[in-house]
Amino acid sequence: MNSLLIKQGKIVVHDSIIKGDIVINNGKISRIAPTIDAKVQPTLFLGGKFYVSPGLIDLHTHGALGYDFLDASLEGNRKIIDFCSSHGTTYLLATIGTAPTERMLKAAEAIIALKDDRIGGIYFEGPFLSPERKGAQPEQWLVTPSIDRYRELYAKTKGHMRILALAPELPGAKEIIHQALSDNVIPALAHSNASYEEAMEAIDQGIRHFTHLYNGMRVFHHRDPGAVAAALLRQEVTVELIADGIHIHPAVLKTVIKLKGIENICLITDSISAAGMKDGSYFFSGQKIIVERGIARLATGDSLAGSTLTLDKAIRNLLEWGISLPHAIKMASSTPARVLGIQHSKGSITPGKDADLVIFDQDLKVRAVLVRGRLVYNELEEASLALGGDQ
């Protein structure tokens, strides 16, 4: 569709919800107003029944539907992306967990080869992580930070590396942080046993993002607050939260919002291949995972192993926990867009930005998704799509 008029939507704009119309031209939002009479064809009539939000941005997802980006499968990658789209995600970072270097690079090649504009790049979760806080990352493939290893990963991913998660307290990490910043890669504190002091120093060195806050890091304690306290106190730091009610308690999430503000929080899924699947046995980075009641754990039982969460479910969870819809949407759109430096083109419903939009029903179930004005998912049975004219 070169042009589309969306009429009578409940539009999530900044901190409010307004009733109005949206005109899309050539993949961009061109106009928003309470009523637009322009004769644009076709026209999507929502009848005041549906919310229209910015497209959701997931910085951290490993897979879904039995597939993992680490599998290096073009077919699997397409299915992961389409699944994410069906749950409102219009832009994501394909996350590669820790594995042998050759396997990580092969996975990266398959992601790059897909050439899908819903993929914003690659998120490497490893291999420069702390064995003490490895979580579900396989210890046998963790390595001491090496600038040569980093340069190999960066060179062979051809500029597609967007975030590199590492433990900044490990020897050699500082040099990688400095080089990553020079390469326009975001270094993120992750799977780290850093003390409060070490985390504060890492922020001074250039760390501005923390991977799944609280998880995979030293436990917050009143006499040993660790990296968590550093993240909460430094306002230049953005953090990821997995809002499934399993990785963090709702009261903790609300505490982080109070201390950090929604503008510094990114909702992520950290979803693995079990997302969208039944309970059962799966694999993550070569390790057996058991999923029971939607909760993924290593078969050994000693760690959570990602999640089966989707971003639309995370938003519904936040509403149940007392967070407003505009604030929940912001944490899954404008904040991650700003983290990636793409806020000029994505993250809000603003004229001139990409027409990445999600249409939710009144129960906040995803009913349709547009990426750059292109309908990539559609379950709108109650809405009317007409070729211009009156409804």
Side-chain angles (χ1 to χ4, degrees):
M1 296 180 186
N2 290 327
S3 299
L4 177 67
L5 172 60
I6 300 175
K7 286 198 67 70
Q8 301 174 2
K10 296 188 286 186
I11 308 169
V12 181
V13 180
H14 305 301
D15 293 321
S16 61
I17 300 172
I18 63 171
K19 293 182 179 179
D21 302 346
I22 302 171
V23 174
I24 297 168
N25 282 311
N26 298 317
K28 300 284 186 180
I29 299 165
S30 64
R31 188 180 172 199
I32 306 166
T35 302
I36 298 173
D37 294 326
K39 293 184 177 180
V40 176
Q41 297 186 359
T43 299
L44 181 61
F45 296 95
L46 299 182
K49 298 178 182 179
F50 300 91
Y51 295 99
V52 184
S53 89
L56 308 183
I57 299 173
D58 193 353
L59 297 182
H60 190 152
T61 172
H62 293 271
L65 297 181
Y67 296 95
D68 189 305
F69 285 116
L70 192 56
D71 297 336
S73 162
L74 285 175
E75 178 189 3
N77 290 352
R78 289 191 186 96
K79 289 186 176 181
I80 294 168
I81 296 164
D82 287 343
F83 172 81
C84 292
S85 290
S86 73
H87 290 277
T89 298
T90 58
Y91 199 77
L92 60 83
L93 295 189
T95 306
I96 297 174
T98 299
T101 301
E102 296 77 13
R103 187 177 180 195
M104 295 176 76
L105 288 172
K106 185 177 179 182
E109 288 175 5
I111 293 163
I112 295 166
L114 198 57
K115 300 185 186 303
D116 192 304
D117 58 12
R118 291 172 290 179
I119 296 182
I122 297 168
Y123 189 137
F124 280 105
E125 191 172 10
F128 312 122
L129 307 174
S130 169
E132 296 173 281
R133 300 292 173 185
K134 65 182 184 295
Q137 302 294 329
E139 186 170 354
Q140 68 268 34
W141 304 121
L142 301 179
V143 299
T144 301
S146 159
I147 191 65
D148 290 337
R149 182 75 67 91
Y150 163 78
R151 285 175 175 151
E152 180 184 12
L153 289 173
Y154 179 76
K156 292 187 177 179
T157 52
K158 305 171 185 176
H160 290 269
M161 183 192 298
R162 299 302 308 278
I163 296 180
L164 174 69
L166 78 169
E169 76 279 8
L170 297 178
K174 288 181 184 177
E175 188 177 4
I176 291 177
I177 292 170
H178 294 157
Q179 186 60 50
L181 291 168
S182 177
D183 293 334
N184 199 31
V185 172
I186 300 164
L189 183 147
H191 293 280
S192 165
N193 199 39
S195 66
Y196 169 77
E197 292 77 16
E198 288 170 328
M200 292 292 276
E201 181 182 0
I203 296 168
D204 292 338
Q205 292 289 331
I207 290 281
R208 292 291 183 273
H209 191 70
F210 278 46
T211 299
H212 45 52
L213 188 67
Y214 286 95
N215 301 111
M217 54 190 68
R218 188 177 295 202
V219 176
F220 180 91
H221 187 277
H222 60 284
R223 286 192 294 271
D224 182 14
V228 171
L232 295 176
L233 291 173
R234 297 287 289 267
Q235 285 304 303
E236 66 267 45
V237 168
T238 53
V239 301
E240 300 171 2
L241 293 179
I242 307 171
D244 58 359
I246 299 160
H247 284 79
I248 53 172
H249 190 280
V252 172
L253 181 142
K254 289 191 278 189
T255 300
V256 177
I257 291 174
K258 191 174 184 68
L259 291 172
K260 296 291 296 178
I262 59 172
E263 68 277 5
N264 289 316
I265 297 169
C266 302
L267 297 182
I268 63 163
T269 62
D270 195 15
S271 64
I272 62 168
S273 62
M277 303 289 282
K278 297 179 179 179
D279 286 357
S281 298
Y282 298 89
F283 285 88
F284 177 76
S285 291
Q287 303 168 106
K288 188 176 181 180
I289 304 297
I290 302 297
V291 178
E292 293 180 349
R293 293 178 290 111
I295 303 172
R297 296 182 184 275
L298 290 176
T300 55
D302 56 354
S303 177
L304 291 170
S307 85
T308 60
L309 186 65
T310 57
L311 274 186
D312 60 332
K313 174 58 176 172
I315 287 167
R316 291 194 295 274
N317 286 343
L318 261 63
L319 265 67
E320 288 181 12
W321 302 337
I323 310 301
S324 72
L325 178 59
H327 285 179
I329 293 291
K330 263 192 170 184
M331 289 185 278
S333 56
S334 64
T335 302
R338 182 170 57 83
V339 167
L340 293 176
I342 56 171
Q343 66 273 22
H344 62 285
S345 61
K346 297 183 184 293
S348 65
I349 300 178
T350 305
K353 291 191 177 184
D354 291 342
D356 293 353
L357 302 172
V358 183
I359 298 174
F360 293 93
D361 64 20
Q362 295 183 78
D363 296 321
L364 293 178
K365 299 290 180 67
V366 174
R367 302 297 295 277
V369 177
L370 293 93
V371 175
R372 296 185 181 182
R374 176 172 54 94
L375 202 59
V376 298
Y377 177 75
N378 185 16
E379 292 292 335
L380 276 170
E381 297 174 357
E382 297 174 41
S384 172
L385 181 62
L387 295 176
D390 296 327
Q391 184 179 11

